[in-house]
């Protein structure tokens, strides 16, 4: 991903946010506030409440009418290096017996080259950010440019290299079984089951 064109302004003021999800220390929970101003300095929320124009003359102002302001979402299980390539493909090959899941019978449909995995990661991270995710746990196979690609996104990312412990499959289309034998990853290995 290319670097951002310019750094974020040091002070941002969101005026008249229709909804604000904020932490209430006294209640020890998140609360909803209506029609409120929010000032952000650097990467820290500085004030919540009415903002005087004179105090924020150097701030970039954002009109918050009609919008909700909330903390960034956390996605604790994502496969950004592969999932974008499966859009529209796995939807058509699901198993009715497994509630239209295609996970155990059909994935992966194909494997991308390093350039494809990098492009898929960039697409997935952009889509996550557009949906409000600011922190993600990336469960992908490690590759040479993996951490550089994640770092360029600007997101908070926990890199969790995947490994295969066993083989999941369905022999009858209705039950998911697992083989934990040493040969589970090799073609032609005997399918074990856990019942």
């Amino acid at each position: 991903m290319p670097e951002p064109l310019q750094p974020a302004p040091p002070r941002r003021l969101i005026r008249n946010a229709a909804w604000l999800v904020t932490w209430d220390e006294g209640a020890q929970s998140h609360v909803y506030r209506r029609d409120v101003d929010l000032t952000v300095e650097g990467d820290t929320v500085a004030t919540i409440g009415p903002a005087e124009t004179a105090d924020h003359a150097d701030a970039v102002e954002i009109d918050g009418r009609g919008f909700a302001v909330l903390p960034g979402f956390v996605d604790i299980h994502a496969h950004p290096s592969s999932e974008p390539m499966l859009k529209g493909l796995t939807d058509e090959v699901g198993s009715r017996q497994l509630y239209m899941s295609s996970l155990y019978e059909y994935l992966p449909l194909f494997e991308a080259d390093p350039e494809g995995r990098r492009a898929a990661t960039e697409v997935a991270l952009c889509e996550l950010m557009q949906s409000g995710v600011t922190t993600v746990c990336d469960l992908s196979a490690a590759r040479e440019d993996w951490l550089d690609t994640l770092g360029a996104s600007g997101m908070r990312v926990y890199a969790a290299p995947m490994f295969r412990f066993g083989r999941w499959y369905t022999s009858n289309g209705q039950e998911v079984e697992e083989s934990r034998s040493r040969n589970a990853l090799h073609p032609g290995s005997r399918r074990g089951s856990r019942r």
Side-chain angles (χ1 to χ4, degrees), residues 6 12 24 26 33 42 46 48 61 72 80 86 94 105 120-121 133-134 136 143 163 167 178 193:
Q6 50 186 300
R12 293 174 305 282
D24 184 317
R33 296 187 56 189
I48 297 173
E61 287 198 23
L86 300 173
E105 295 178 273
T121 301
V133 173
T134 58
V136 64
R143 62 180 196 277
F163 66 94
R167 181 175 170 272
E178 172 189 17
S193 64

Side-chain angles (χ1 to χ4, degrees), residues 16 39 71 95 122 144:
N16 303 310
T39 306
S95 168
E122 291 175 354
E144 190 173 320

